[in-house]
Amino acid sequence: MFGRDKNRSKEAPSILLVDDDKGQLNVFATWVAAVRPNAHVCTATSVEEALNLITTHTFSLIISDYSIPHAGAGLDIFEAAIQSGISKSNFIMLSGTTDNLPDEIRLVSKGDLVALETAIQRALP
């Protein structure tokens, strides 16, 4: 299941992971690297750091926690990602809640690795 995608693009995707829990972010980055070993994985632990990376780099996919450090902060990252030119389908929000989330945001429950891997495969065929 994890990391068994044999049809990887020759161009390495660049993935930004955003979560204010550093321990969880490190585990998450390790998992994403196993699922997408050809990807360049960047991490950010704050909204400010994520916004800086989004304005200075081009990402193929952005996966962000919704609550960084408070509920809704992930929406700022979503808006910046869209303004940078990333497709809405290449932004994944991780959250345990669906409160106040626009319909166009792809939501995956935090901790649901099967759903997250599926979402990554859809965003980066």
Side-chain angles (χ1 to χ4, degrees):
M1 177 191 303
F2 300 124
R4 294 185 186 163
D5 182 6
K6 301 297 183 197
N7 299 318
R8 293 188 186 110
S9 169
K10 293 181 182 184
E11 185 177 317
S14 183
I15 302 172
L16 174 61
L17 308 175
V18 187
D19 196 320
D20 60 334
D21 182 326
K22 290 180 184 180
Q24 198 168 42
L25 185 62
N26 288 336
V27 170
F28 185 37
T30 301
W31 179 83
V32 170
V35 170
R36 290 296 222 186
N38 65 328
H40 174 71
V41 179
C42 294
T43 61
T45 58
S46 69
V47 172
E48 296 76 19
E49 185 179 8
L51 296 178
N52 182 50
L53 286 169
I54 290 169
T55 59
T56 59
H57 295 79
T58 301
F59 292 101
S60 309
L61 175 65
I62 297 175
I63 305 171
S64 176
D65 186 17
Y66 175 68
S67 301
I68 313 166
H70 57 82
L75 293 175
D76 295 335
I77 297 166
F78 173 74
E79 291 299 326
I82 299 308
Q83 289 178 6
S84 77
I86 197 167
S87 167
K88 290 178 183 177
S89 64
N90 286 44
F91 186 94
I92 300 170
M93 185 77 71
L94 301 176
S95 180
T97 181
T98 58
D99 295 344
N100 303 316
L101 288 179
D103 291 337
E104 67 265 17
I105 294 179
R106 184 179 299 190
L107 176 69
V108 174
S109 292
K110 203 167 190 177
D112 187 346
L113 297 180
V114 173
L116 182 57
E117 183 176 10
T118 299
I120 291 170
Q121 289 174 352
R122 286 184 183 150
L124 302 174

